[in-house]
Amino acid sequence: MIDEDEAQTGSNTGQGGMYHWEAAYQRSWDALEEDDSGSLAAHVAALAREKLARRRHVLALSNSAVPVHRGLIRHQFLVLDMSEAIASPADYLLPTRLECVLHNAQVYVDHFLTVNPLGCIGLIATRDGGAEKYTELTGNTAEHIAAIQNKSNREPRGEPSLQNALEIARRSLLHVPSHGSREILVLYSALTTCDPGNISETIQSLKADNIRVSIIGLSAEMRICKHICKETKGIYNVIMNEQHLKEVLASHVAPPAVESEKTASLAMIEMGFPSSTSFASPTICANHGKPTQIGYECPRCKTTICSLPTDCPICSLTLVSSVLLARSYHHLFPVPPFVEIPVSHRTSHFSLSLAAQIQLIVVHVKWHSLLHQQGSGRYQCPNCMHLFCLECDIYCHELLHNCVGCLGGSNH
């Protein structure tokens, strides 16, 4: 007989008796690439360029001399091109174009809902000359990732239909309140579109409904995609490699600026703050029609819902939690961009945050020496005058959303 502890251990192990989490670190040195002389400098320099690209993205979000109005309540549909075109080989997207796009789509959904806790996202796929809605607008990350990982949803077939996908997203976004943004982001691989009607009519409908369409081309530039983005005030990009795809997706995470005309018409937004409730017996969720024993009750009509944020399907009241509202605060008051300190102005101390609390090893020192070839590698907060390394600069702006030195309250 097999002991219970051994059975539990066996269920957590894969091939070779290793734990599943250990597999990610097996032969991790194979990812290193040497140049013709056997040096790793080129590989480390590529990692440094990736870090610097992330800092440029941080500067683009926070370096604004004029305060920008941003819509914190976002509603976005992510459209995936699941036609045969995404199954075609591409040397710039590895291991395959399909796997690369679906993996980055999962990362984007998780990042989007983390940065926009008051936002909702939905998934739509286009193939076989039509379009299919994978998930409704919701803030449940697990539901979206499960839909992407579903094997039946990962089978590319036929031709895409850009018009059908945009029409499905448009009809779903019509019910979004005026104070929420209406956005569509398309990951498009094909160079054709199989539409049942005149796509120009769809473009005019999108403009009339104030829906912003942005498209990321995975193959080559298409005139119709560029025209759609121009008419709906979206952004059109054609990627060059996987790193460029990550950067373009990251640029769509932060809330876009709200137009001055729309800002002038905004008024007070009525919201409800329901508390989590445990029900004695399973109760049907009004949003998904599924039984649940832990959920929320609308404070106005007592309707049961399973997750926040959402709009009450009965009385249309916007339902959020105070925690989600607090997590959106940094969009209105972002951390000011840190100023790069020239190499000639170096001081004895290096970084206030994590890098100063650990023993720096030789590899870390060489990492920063390579960064210094492209910049000083030191950045200073304009308020508290503390110094930070590149990693800590990115950490403060992308994850912490606060300056460690300003939070400490001590100035130099």
Side-chain angles (χ1 to χ4, degrees):
M1 297 180 62
I2 301 177
D3 186 70
E4 182 178 356
D5 294 337
E6 294 180 357
Q8 180 66 26
T9 303
S11 63
N12 294 329
T13 58
Q15 298 179 352
M18 297 178 59
Y19 285 95
H20 291 302
W21 62 268
E22 292 180 294
Y25 301 96
Q26 185 182 15
R27 299 185 63 85
S28 57
W29 54 86
D30 288 343
L32 298 177
E33 298 179 0
E34 299 180 355
D35 56 17
D36 296 336
S37 62
S39 174
L40 298 176
H43 182 78
V44 179
L47 296 177
R49 286 193 296 270
E50 181 179 349
K51 289 285 186 180
L52 292 174
R54 291 179 60 188
R55 186 174 189 274
R56 286 194 296 270
H57 172 61
V58 168
L59 289 175
L61 295 179
S62 58
N63 192 11
S64 178
V66 180
V68 178
H69 295 277
R70 298 186 182 274
L72 302 185
I73 304 178
R74 303 180 64 186
H75 301 82
Q76 183 184 98
F77 269 104
L78 179 63
V79 179
L80 302 175
D81 179 2
M82 295 300 295
S83 64
E84 292 180 351
I86 200 173
S88 60
D91 296 337
Y92 53 92
L93 296 176
L94 299 174
T96 63
R97 188 186 312 204
L98 175 64
E99 293 297 329
C100 180
V101 170
L102 293 182
H103 169 72
N104 283 282
Q106 295 180 55
V107 175
Y108 172 77
V109 169
D110 183 40
H111 194 191
F112 179 92
L113 294 177
T114 300
V115 175
N116 303 275
L118 296 181
C120 297
I121 198 170
L123 296 178
I124 295 176
T126 173
R127 57 186 172 187
D128 284 337
E132 176 186 359
K133 187 186 296 183
Y134 283 173
T135 58
E136 298 286 349
L137 287 170
T138 179
N140 190 343
T141 306
E143 183 177 344
H144 300 306
I145 293 180
I148 296 176
Q149 293 178 345
N150 189 344
K151 289 185 178 180
S152 62
N153 295 337
R154 301 170 70 95
E155 299 177 1
R157 297 192 305 267
E159 295 292 330
S161 176
L162 195 55
Q163 183 182 17
N164 282 329
L166 295 177
E167 281 291 345
I168 291 180
R170 186 185 70 85
R171 287 195 293 266
S172 299
L173 291 172
L174 286 178
H175 306 287
V176 172
S178 58
H179 57 259
S181 68
R182 301 173 178 179
E183 306 170 38
I184 301 175
L185 178 61
V186 184
L187 295 176
Y188 206 69
S189 298
L191 296 177
T192 59
T193 175
C194 182
D195 298 330
N198 188 356
I199 195 172
S200 299
E201 298 177 359
T202 301
I203 297 174
Q204 295 304 317
S205 300
L206 292 169
K207 289 179 59 178
D209 298 329
N210 294 321
I211 298 177
R212 182 173 184 260
V213 181
S214 298
I215 301 177
I216 301 177
L218 305 176
S219 298
E221 182 175 308
M222 291 180 60
R223 183 182 181 278
I224 184 61
C225 294
K226 190 174 183 178
H227 178 65
I228 293 173
C229 296
K230 180 180 179 181
E231 291 294 320
T232 60
K233 300 181 180 180
I235 301 174
Y236 181 48
N237 297 100
V238 179
I239 66 164
M240 297 180 292
N241 48 46
E242 183 179 0
Q243 180 59 34
H244 190 204
L245 173 62
K246 293 178 180 179
E247 294 176 9
V248 173
L249 284 173
S251 66
H252 290 277
V253 171
V258 179
E259 298 178 4
S260 57
E261 298 83 3
K262 187 175 181 180
T263 303
S265 62
L266 292 180
M268 299 295 291
I269 301 174
E270 188 176 10
M271 290 186 175
F273 295 86
S275 301
S276 179
T277 305
S278 298
F279 306 103
S281 58
T283 306
I284 299 299
C285 167
N287 277 341
H288 304 91
K290 298 180 181 179
T292 179
Q293 283 193 275
I294 301 178
Y296 304 87
E297 283 189 353
C298 174
R300 176 187 288 172
C301 63
K302 304 303 180 182
T303 301
T304 301
I305 56 173
C306 61
S307 61
L308 298 176
T310 187
D311 294 327
C312 178
I314 305 301
C315 64
S316 301
L317 179 65
T318 301
L319 303 177
V320 298
S321 69
S322 57
V323 176
L324 298 179
L325 199 60
R327 284 170 53 191
S328 303
Y329 184 80
H330 66 270
H331 290 305
L332 302 178
F333 303 95
V335 181
F338 295 165
V339 181
E340 185 174 2
I341 303 300
V343 179
S344 58
H345 292 77
R346 288 183 178 179
T347 55
S348 58
H349 58 284
F350 180 65
S351 175
L352 175 69
S353 50
L354 301 179
Q357 302 176 20
I358 62 175
Q359 295 291 330
L360 298 180
I361 59 177
V362 177
V363 175
H364 193 69
V365 173
K366 290 184 177 180
W367 165 271
H368 282 286
S369 67
L370 286 169
L371 290 179
H372 295 164
Q373 296 175 10
Q374 306 178 48
S376 66
R378 294 189 176 188
Y379 307 93
Q380 188 175 50
C381 174
N383 296 330
C384 65
M385 307 306 291
H386 278 113
L387 293 176
F388 296 86
C389 66
L390 178 60
E391 289 88 344
C392 297
D393 179 6
I394 296 174
Y395 175 76
C396 290
H397 285 88
E398 286 192 347
L399 298 177
L400 191 60
H401 301 298
N402 283 285
C403 173
V404 179
C406 296
L407 290 178
S410 60
N411 296 330
H412 285 286

